[in-house]
């Protein structure tokens, strides 16, 4: 049994007078201690909603969550609120895309970190302050004693994100969900933060779920990858399989449309046509069909199942053949 | 050092090594390029002008050149007296040549002055020093009607298409407005025809004309922004982060559209972006900015394979590549800390506070000038050759 097991998770948003939004639909995966799972997909594909559902952070009203989430053998969905709150921050932590929204603007950074330490590790006074300074230092914030007295707006974006990571690390969580933790940051700062997350997984054995739209980040950090499209997983594989031998037309489409820093000069970009809003309902079709170069008649009338095939799971009626996959895959695009 | 070449035709008042003992840091640019010193551009300009490394053929005269460009924003304090207590030196002495019909890519960390530089070239913000010439015309001296005519030739494409388009205007009206104000197409019928033509140019159906910005996806909105930019048949388009707000799968559509339009309409581009892979793909020449100055400039294909400035090296090594085997074997150069404040840049080399190769001598007290270290490859680092030869090693803890 894995540390985190997500089984057939679904989230439906309903608002009066509007059509229901099936934001997450039949999503299953698991993560072990010391493992990193990457989740990629475009805007609106359900990445954040998946993690909010796991953390129990969706509004109770208007969001219907189905399926099963088991963490360390305990069922999270339907858990009592206070019990869940206790778990959150202690064994389960999350880093959000926008660090400013996750920090309290009127409380100095130091107090926000020591509060976590008091609540979850029972530390107080000088002990807590000393530990807070150690944590800020650990995440690469220079002059931590001074920084502890500052307010969130006095820190740069990169510093705030590191402060949030320090708070997440403070309670030594077993599972950390990081939702686009570096999207708003410069590449040089991103490299620092990713290195930090890697350390955390390597040294503390933390299980990491990393949500990102940057396939390069996934290639460097994740053991396994889920590719999501319109609320469902369309391809799930170990990192190497996904990059070297991708089979879902959306995955190959993504890989073919991004330039690589090291790609051959003049190599054309092959965009995916249309936009993420051109979808068909999964209930009676493949949602990607309107944009898919390989779509067949059946793709617009029958839901493709997520089929396990040895090294991967794939949801497609007409997967990309091996030779074509190899050409757009990581090895094919090396200069 | 005999190989020191003043690549951009500054008057050399700072001396080849850019020795700098001025007492007041506010009075000097990074390579001694003050407003007076920088007007000497012209006949002495040799070497790595952007045009020189653009197309394979003869180096054509650049479409646009900037020399010693500075944009300093006053920092004001006090409600009643409103004193100026310092300056944000957003752009602090930049020389730039945009290759005619080519693409110049500008990269660098958030806050290093890329957008301000782009806006200064268009005079959307007034430079505090320096010169900008386009086809021999002194852009900064233009006024009134002449400035208006000049502006027609330079257009901008913005990062966030939604906020740069008026939500209450239909696409028809967004696109015909510039045609009307600049009186290039007279008569509403002719304008309507031109609008359809523009939509077709950027790959949108004619039916888009009657709709409003919010009815489009992000990629489609960026197409509208591009249609507006090309409406007046400009010579130059400055695109500030044209794809960074778009979904990955859409970015390639817009990049391809920009390339296609360049070919068809003979446009010159300045593309500002923080995604280095995108910039490398689209550019002929790339300039790397750090804290208000250009620290390296060379042909796009070279920058990744032979970066010479320590900052460029760090930047290139930090860009993730979607290739697991490569990622596992790659060495990364980690920089510590953040960009220093542009109101108070470090003395000497601006990068020295974060540079893993920083040396005890020179780095802190001499401003490294931009110099031609290789043909068509300029770098502002005192130690570029020694670093490249491996004679100077980076701090060990910076390498992972
Ligand atoms: N509170 C909500 N009420 C209604 N719909 C919502 C709510 N939150 C999210 N959604 C919808 O659920 C879908 C999935 O959203 P989600 O935020 O998970 O996307 P994402 O993959 O994280 O995208 P991004 O890359 O933009 O962060 C979207 O269609 C979104 O509009
Ligand atoms: N109007 C202004 N008044 C005062 N300071 C300004 C103004 N515009 C920009 N700045 C400052 O000038 C510096 C350069 O800003 P600029 O927007 O040019 O950076 P950038 O490289 O485009 O960054 P980003 O990648 O985040 O867009 C920053 O320190 C910024 O705060
Ligand atoms: S070695 Fe010195 S001059 Fe070169 S980049 Fe580093 S600090 Fe600047
Ligand atoms: Mg999200
Ligand atoms: Mg900018």
């Amino acid at each position: 049994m894995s540390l985190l097991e997500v089984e057939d998770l679904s989230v439906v948003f309903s608002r009066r007078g509007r059509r229901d939004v099936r934001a997450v639909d039949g999503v299953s995966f698991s993560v072990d201690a010391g493992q990193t799972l990457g989740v990629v997909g475009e805007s609106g594909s359900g990445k954040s909603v998946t993690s909010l559902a796991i953390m129990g952070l969706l509004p109770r009203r208007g969001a219907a969550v189905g399926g099963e989430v088991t963490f360390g053998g305990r069922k999270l969905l339907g858990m009592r609120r206070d019990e869940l709150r206790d778990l959150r921050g202690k064994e389960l932590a999350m880093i959000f895309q926008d660090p400013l929204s996750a920090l309290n603007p009127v409380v100095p950074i130091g107090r926000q970190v020591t509060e976590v330490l008091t609540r979850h590790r029972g530390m107080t006074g000088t002990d807590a302050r000393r530990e807070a300074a150690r944590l800020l230092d650990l995440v690469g914030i220079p002059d931590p004693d001074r920084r502890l007295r500052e307010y969130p707006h006095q820190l740069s974006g990169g510093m705030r994100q590191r402060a949030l990571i320090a708070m997440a690390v403070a309670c030594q969580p077993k599972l950390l969900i990081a939702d686009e933790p570096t999207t708003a940051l410069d590449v040089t700062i991103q490299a620092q933060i990713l290195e930090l997350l890697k350390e955390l997984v390597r040294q503390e054995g933390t299980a990491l779920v990393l949500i990102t739209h940057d396939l390069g980040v996934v290639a460097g950090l994740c053991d396994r990858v889920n590719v999501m499209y319109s609320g469902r997983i369309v391809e799930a594989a170990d990192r190497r399989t996904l990059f070297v031998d991708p089979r879902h037309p959306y995955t190959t489409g993504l890989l073919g449309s991004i330039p690589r820093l090291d790609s051959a000069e003049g190599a054309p970009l092959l965009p995916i046509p249309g936009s993420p809003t051109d979808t068909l309902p999964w209930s009676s079709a493949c949602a990607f069909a309107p944009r898919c170069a390989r779509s067949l008649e059946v793709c617009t009338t029958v839901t493709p199942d997520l089929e396990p095939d040895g090294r991967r799971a794939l949801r497609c009626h007409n997967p990309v053949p091996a030779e074509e996959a190899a050409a757009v895959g990581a090895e094919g695009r090396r200069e | 050092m005999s190989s020191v070449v003043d690549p951009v035709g500054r008057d050399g008042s700072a001396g080849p090594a850019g020795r700098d003992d001025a007492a007041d840091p506010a009075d000097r640019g990074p390579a001694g390029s003050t407003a007076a010193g920088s007007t000497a551009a012209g006949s002495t300009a040799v070497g790595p002008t952007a045009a020189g490394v653009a197309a394979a053929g003869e180096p054509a005269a650049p479409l646009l050149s900037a020399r010693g460009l500075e944009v300093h924003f006053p920092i004001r304090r006090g409600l009643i007296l409103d004193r100026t207590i310092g300056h944000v030196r957003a752009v602090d002495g930049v020389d730039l040549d945009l290759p005619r019909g080519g693409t110049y890519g500008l990269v660098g960390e958030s806050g290093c002055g890329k957008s301000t530089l782009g806006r200064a070239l268009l005079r959307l913000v007034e430079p505090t020093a320096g010169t900008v010439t386009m086809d021999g015309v002194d852009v900064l001296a233009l006024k009134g009607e002449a400035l208006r005519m000049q502006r027609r030739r330079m257009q901008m494409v913005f990062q966030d298409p939604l906020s740069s388009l008026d939500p209450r205007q239909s696409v028809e009206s967004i696109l015909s407005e510039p045609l009307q104000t600049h009186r290039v197409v007279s008569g509403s019928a002719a304008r309507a025809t031109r609008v359809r033509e523009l939509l077709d140019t950027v790959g949108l159906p004619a039916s888009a004309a009657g709709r409003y910005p919010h009815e489009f996806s992000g990629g489609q909105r960026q197409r509208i922004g591009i249609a507006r930019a090309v409406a007046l048949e400009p010579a130059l388009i400055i695109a500030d982060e044209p794809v960074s707000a778009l979904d990955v799968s859409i970015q390639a559509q817009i990049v391809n559209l920009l390339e296609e339009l360049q070919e068809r309409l003979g446009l010159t581009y300045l593309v500002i972006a923080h995604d280095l892979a995108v910039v490398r793909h689209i550019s002929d020449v790339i300039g790397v900015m750090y804290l208000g100055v250009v620290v390296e400039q060379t042909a796009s294909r070279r920058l990744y394979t032979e970066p010479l400035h320590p900052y460029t090296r760090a930047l290139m090594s930090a860009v993730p590549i979607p290739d697991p085997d490569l990622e596992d074997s790659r060495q990364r150069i980690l920089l510590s800390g953040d960009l220093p404040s542009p109101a108070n840049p470090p003395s000497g080399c601006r990068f020295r506070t974060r540079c893993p190769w920083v040396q005890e001598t020179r780095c802190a007290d001499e401003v490294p000038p931009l110099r031609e270290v290789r043909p068509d490859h300029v770098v502002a680092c005192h130690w570029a050759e020694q670093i490249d030869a491996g004679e100077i090693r980076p701090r060990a803890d910076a390498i992972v």
Side-chain angles (χ1 to χ4, degrees), chain A residues 42-43 156 159 162 186 189-190 192 216 239-240 243 257-261 263 265 267 269 271-274 291 334, chain B residues 109-110 247-250 252-253 256 277 280-281 301 304 318-326 328 335 337-338:
Chain A
E42 45 210 326
S43 190
S156 69
M159 289 294 166
R162 275 175 272 187
D186 284 308
I189 309 290
Q190 166 171 284
Q192 297 169 7
R239 166 178 79 140
R240 203 158 187 290
F243 281 95
S257 67
I258 49 173
R260 281 174 56 152
L261 196 53
S263 55
E265 210 188 338
L269 300 184
I272 301 177
R291 305 175 69 194
R334 271 178 218 149
Chain B
E109 224 153 335
S110 178
D247 257 310
V248 180
S249 73
I250 305 301
Q253 294 178 7
N256 286 356
R280 178 179 177 271
H281 177 87
R301 75 192 110 85
Y304 173 70
V319 179
I321 296 180
D323 186 334
D325 300 335
L326 197 78
D328 286 351
L335 298 180
D338 283 329

Side-chain angles (χ1 to χ4, degrees), chain A residues 6-64:
Chain A
V6 176
E7 196 53 51
D8 202 22
L9 184 72
S10 68
V11 179
V12 179
F13 292 106
S14 42
R15 245 179 292 172
R16 209 179 317 184
R18 297 217 194 165
R19 258 199 299 152
D20 287 359
V21 177
R22 204 162 254 285
V24 175
D25 201 0
V27 164
S28 305
F29 60 85
S30 62
V31 195
D32 286 312
Q35 223 196 23
T36 301
L37 172 77
V39 181
V40 296
E42 45 210 326
S43 190
S45 58
K47 307 182 296 293
S48 296
V49 171
T50 301
S51 44
L52 292 173
I54 294 170
M55 297 290 291
L57 289 172
L58 287 171
R60 297 246 153 155
R61 231 193 264 188

Side-chain angles (χ1 to χ4, degrees), chain B residues 273-348:
Chain B
H274 67 269
D275 184 330
L276 280 142
V278 167
V279 172
R280 178 179 177 271
H281 177 87
I282 201 171
S283 311
D284 302 299
V285 191
I286 296 179
V288 180
M289 263 184 104
Y290 188 80
L291 213 57
V293 299
V294 171
V295 295
E296 182 161 6
Q297 176 188 296
T298 190
S300 152
R301 75 192 110 85
R302 264 216 214 137
L303 204 68
Y304 173 70
T305 47
E306 306 168 44
L308 291 175
H309 195 282
Y311 177 60
T312 315
R313 286 170 184 260
L315 207 56
M316 294 295 153
S317 81
V319 179
I321 296 180
D323 186 334
D325 300 335
L326 197 78
E327 282 293 305
D328 286 351
S329 60
R330 255 174 118 199
Q331 265 198 349
R332 212 149 248 158
I333 302 161
L334 286 189
L335 298 180
S336 52
D338 283 329
L339 197 69
S341 160
N344 186 20
S347 66

